[in-house]
Amino acid sequence: MRDVATDYYGILGVDRGADDAALKKAYRKLARELHPDVNPDPAAQERFKQVTSAYEVLSDPEKRQIVDLGGDPLQTGPGAAGNPFAQGFGGLGDIMDAFFGGGGGGTRGPRSRVRQGADALLRIDLDLAETAFGTTREITLDTAVVCGTCHGEGAAAGTHPATCETCRGRGEVQSVQRSFLGQVMTTRTCGRCGGVGSVIEHPCGECGGDGRVRARRTLSVKIPAGVEHGMRIRLTGEGEVGPGGGPAGDLYVEVHEKPHPVFTRDGDDLHCRLSLPMTAAALGTTMKLDTLDGEEELDISPGTQPDAVLTLRARGIPHLRGTGRGDLHVHLDIQVPTRLTEEQEGLLRQLAKLRGEEQPGSSGKHQGLFGRKRR
Ligand SMILES: [Zn+2]
Ligand SMILES: [Zn+2]
């Protein structure tokens, strides 16, 4: 009993007379579209295995001969029946290296010990007047800075990083392996120097070879007028210095606006509430209000209604971009007296009588909801 031989030529899409160059070309083309690094689709990965297996068979003259004689070199005996592609692909990385030059398309030659530093983030609390009109703040921060002892080189005084003996400064080591393609040269990052090509034999005592140390600094940050809670101000090159004394990242200063006891902010508009006695609402008055710009006089017109809003134009937050400012909205809470003296009550009753409001809802003039319903 034998399984039907796998159609290796069909899998690779070549005809039976294909020479080595044609096989290679066909495999390369398929691998470029099916390789797991390019195509994460599981079906593509399964097909990639099949294509690789077919190439492995057909590029080996002995195995190809078995195929041409109607056999299957990957089915060796009765126990091996089934999926010929289920076996491991240990040599795959090397095949890909041979085709596409280097593991994962990495760079050639030693990489630099010096690397870009990370960005840093610092939060500052500001009150409303500061976010509104801007300010300058002194901030203290701890970041990595260039080591003052070795100036970033990482080596102890009087010494320098020495060329790595394992890779002779190349940062990578090569080895020759046998595979179905013949001898294949593989390249790996040097384990001794980590790919840098040099080794610090006597590290700087200050930074331990990193080329940077942590230090506390004080900076002056200018906060522009009109910033909002959560905004970040960027200070280029004020972040963390990189390994080997590499260029510093940026510092982001995040604005946190402290709640104000009187004003709440909505974009560039401000809102506040102001209590107003019932009598003042009826008679009209002037009131004083402390705004961000100092004391302002509010004109309350006679007959002001509950929930009235007075808007003070351009007394809000200056716009961060462009000119002009938001408004200040004053919401009036009209207070009805809860406790009356005998004299006050008498006066109010007199007023109610004069206005015909002793029995609201029952007179024709001041019918309320219930009065209308009853009729
Ligand atoms: Zn140092
Ligand atoms: Zn090395």
Side-chain angles (χ1 to χ4, degrees):
M1 190 182 115
R2 246 191 63 182
D3 284 289
V4 178
T6 311
D7 179 12
Y8 293 107
Y9 288 102
I11 289 169
L12 219 48
V14 293
D15 58 46
R16 290 188 160 262
D19 60 8
D20 273 0
L23 288 177
K24 209 169 205 171
K25 194 180 163 203
Y27 175 60
R28 187 193 289 260
K29 182 172 172 291
L30 288 167
R32 278 195 198 282
E33 63 190 59
L34 296 169
H35 189 268
D37 286 351
V38 186
N39 195 335
D41 179 24
Q45 289 181 28
E46 188 52 40
R47 195 155 137 62
F48 178 65
K49 283 184 186 175
Q50 296 182 7
V51 164
T52 302
S53 193
Y55 178 70
E56 184 178 359
V57 168
L58 296 182
S59 60
D60 181 315
E62 284 176 27
K63 288 178 182 167
R64 185 169 178 176
Q65 198 181 9
I66 296 170
V67 173
D68 290 341
L69 291 169
D72 190 336
L74 296 183
Q75 289 179 12
T76 53
N83 185 1
F85 308 111
Q87 59 187 316
F89 282 83
L92 203 59
D94 294 338
I95 303 168
M96 300 316 291
D97 278 358
F99 266 115
F100 303 118
T107 52
R108 290 278 165 195
R111 62 177 177 80
S112 176
R113 189 187 299 282
V114 178
R115 271 176 287 155
Q116 170 74 38
D119 293 340
L121 176 67
L122 189 87
R123 180 186 131 164
I124 55 169
D125 291 317
L126 298 171
D127 59 37
L128 185 63
E130 290 174 311
T131 57
F133 301 123
T135 184
T136 300
R137 272 293 190 87
E138 296 280 295
I139 55 167
T140 302
L141 69 162
D142 289 297
T143 60
V145 298
V146 177
C147 174
T149 305
C150 65
H151 306 288
E153 198 179 46
T159 71
H160 293 285
T163 302
C164 174
E165 286 165 15
T166 306
C167 63
R168 291 187 209 91
R170 298 189 55 219
E172 53 190 25
V173 284
Q174 293 184 324
S175 59
V176 177
Q177 288 189 333
R178 286 190 57 85
S179 86
F180 63 84
L181 290 174
Q183 292 201 331
V184 172
M185 182 86 87
T186 59
T187 304
R188 287 190 179 78
T189 300
C190 173
R192 182 155 184 260
C193 64
V196 172
S198 62
V199 175
I200 297 173
E201 276 157 356
H202 306 286
C204 165
E206 189 68 29
C207 63
D210 191 37
R212 50 185 187 161
V213 290
R214 293 206 78 78
R216 179 159 291 193
R217 292 181 289 151
T218 304
L219 276 178
S220 184
V221 183
K222 198 171 154 15
I223 311 291
V227 291
E228 260 185 90
H229 187 84
M231 278 183 177
R232 289 178 176 184
I233 296 155
R234 179 168 139 185
L235 284 88
T236 309
E238 296 289 0
E240 309 270 355
V241 158
D250 298 335
L251 170 68
Y252 289 90
V253 176
E254 189 175 275
V255 171
H256 279 239
E257 189 179 85
K258 289 184 276 190
H260 190 273
V262 175
F263 301 112
T264 54
R265 184 171 173 177
D266 176 21
D268 287 339
D269 283 353
L270 293 175
H271 296 263
C272 69
R273 303 198 78 85
L274 190 63
S275 293
L276 185 67
M278 175 188 78
T279 47
L283 299 170
T285 186
T286 58
M287 292 183 85
K288 294 198 188 314
L289 176 71
D290 274 323
T291 70
L292 293 180
D293 300 83
E295 201 173 69
E296 294 268 341
E297 204 153 86
L298 282 180
D299 264 324
I300 313 287
S301 42
T304 292
Q305 299 298 304
D307 298 325
V309 179
L310 296 179
T311 297
L312 300 173
R313 299 272 169 227
R315 284 292 176 269
I317 307 288
H319 300 311
L320 181 62
R321 294 173 189 87
T323 53
R325 295 174 63 174
D327 301 329
L328 169 59
H329 304 280
V330 183
H331 301 254
L332 297 175
D333 286 329
I334 294 177
Q335 305 288 308
V336 175
T338 52
R339 206 174 282 179
L340 297 169
T341 64
E342 217 170 292
E343 189 188 8
Q344 290 166 352
E345 192 186 331
L347 284 168
L348 274 178
R349 288 201 183 282
Q350 207 181 326
L351 175 65
K353 192 175 177 187
L354 281 169
R355 291 180 57 82
E357 292 168 349
E358 291 157 298
Q359 292 289 311
S362 62
S363 83
K365 200 177 170 189
H366 293 283
Q367 271 176 355
L369 178 65
F370 298 105
R372 231 174 284 133
K373 269 186 176 169
R374 267 202 302 271
R375 201 166 57 171

